[in-house]
Amino acid sequence: MATVRNLITRALRKSGVITKSETPDPDEISDALEECNSMLSSWSTEKMLCVSRTRESFPSTGAQSYTIGSGGDFNTTRPVKIISAFARLGTNDDYPMVEITDKNYSLIQNKDTPGAPEFFNYDNGYPLGTLTMYPKPTASYTIYIYSEKAITAFTSLSQVVSLPEGWEDAIVYNLAVRLAPEYGQPVTNELAALAISTKSAIKRAINRNRPLDYFPQKVSQHNINTGYNN
């Protein structure tokens, strides 16, 4: 495992900003950390660059909506996307939920109806996302969420990072490409090729570990109050 300082120093060397025997000055490494976090933030928008798919469970309090993220009602790393969700009553009774759009949720007339939730809407807000369910689950349910999460921003240069195979090189070479022009350094063909190949490699690794549904899901969404279908 490496520290954030190690990764950024490697990137500055690969970009030609510093030589092998040099140590980056505080301004250089501070700017590089900011650029690195900006890059990771942009990567989080790419579906194939999520670090993990995670299943978590949270107790229902009887509310209709819950914020998700650091410090939210569901206190966890904010998901980029919720893949699936279900509500569990007791130990054996599971109630799968189907994701619906903002528009379809707005068509529900009586949103305060209690019961086993059948639908969920996730707004992907920032810094906290909001998960809204219908019908409204009582406090007896436990909510299970299967989600995709991206790598989070680095908080300090001394932070020790533990990343899946291939991620360190992808960060180093792609950060080097972003840093080089800022310091008047050319982006060589070799550096550009390494940035592309290392990023592509982690995308392929993630794709290999994602099972594909045999039948693509196509669900007709219907509500007894409004009769909407999708």
Side-chain angles (χ1 to χ4, degrees):
M1 292 186 290
T3 64
V4 174
R5 182 183 295 275
N6 295 147
L7 295 179
I8 289 176
T9 300
R10 281 183 61 199
L12 287 166
R13 287 172 180 161
K14 300 296 183 185
S15 65
V17 176
I18 61 174
T19 65
K20 188 174 181 63
S21 60
E22 288 181 316
T23 300
D25 64 39
D27 285 342
E28 288 172 336
I29 205 159
S30 177
D31 289 345
L33 175 60
E34 183 178 350
E35 188 66 29
C36 183
N37 281 334
S38 177
M39 180 182 73
L40 295 178
S41 177
S42 69
W43 282 12
S44 71
T45 65
E46 299 184 44
K47 183 177 181 182
M48 296 309 301
L49 282 176
C50 289
V51 173
S52 65
R53 284 188 170 188
T54 306
R55 194 178 87 161
E56 300 170 287
S57 63
F58 306 94
S60 169
T61 63
Q64 185 94 49
S65 300
Y66 300 83
T67 56
I68 309 178
S70 179
D73 299 322
F74 294 170
N75 188 16
T76 184
T77 302
R78 170 184 162 274
V80 174
K81 179 177 176 58
I82 294 179
I83 304 301
S84 62
F86 67 91
R88 175 170 291 173
L89 183 61
T91 57
N92 297 315
D93 296 327
D94 292 344
Y95 298 87
M97 288 183 272
V98 175
E99 184 173 14
I100 58 174
T101 63
D102 294 348
K103 178 181 178 181
N104 281 344
Y105 179 74
S106 71
L107 293 173
I108 300 173
Q109 292 178 349
N110 185 4
K111 297 178 175 60
D112 201 42
T113 301
E118 300 176 38
F119 306 104
F120 77 89
N121 173 267
Y122 180 60
D123 71 354
N124 202 24
Y126 184 86
L128 296 175
T130 300
L131 175 72
T132 303
M133 290 169 279
Y134 177 83
K136 182 173 71 173
T138 67
S140 303
Y141 290 90
T142 300
I143 309 304
Y144 285 79
I145 298 171
Y146 191 40
S147 66
E148 289 183 339
K149 297 188 178 185
I151 186 172
T152 55
F154 297 139
T155 56
S156 71
L157 293 169
S158 60
Q159 178 184 346
V160 177
V161 293
S162 178
L163 297 167
E165 292 81 359
W167 272 80
E168 288 188 14
D169 277 351
I171 289 173
V172 167
Y173 286 109
N174 281 273
L175 180 58
V177 168
R178 292 173 70 113
L179 291 173
E182 186 173 342
Y183 291 92
Q185 297 296 321
V187 177
T188 65
N189 291 336
E190 180 183 10
L191 180 60
L194 284 167
I196 292 170
S197 65
T198 52
K199 188 177 179 183
S200 297
I202 60 176
K203 285 185 175 184
R204 288 193 300 270
I206 292 170
N207 189 46
R208 282 196 301 268
N209 290 315
R210 288 187 176 174
L212 298 176
D213 291 335
Y214 186 74
F215 295 106
Q217 185 180 36
K218 177 63 177 177
V219 179
S220 176
Q221 297 167 358
H222 178 74
N223 181 268
I224 58 173
N225 294 316
T226 63
Y228 72 79
N229 285 278
N230 185 32

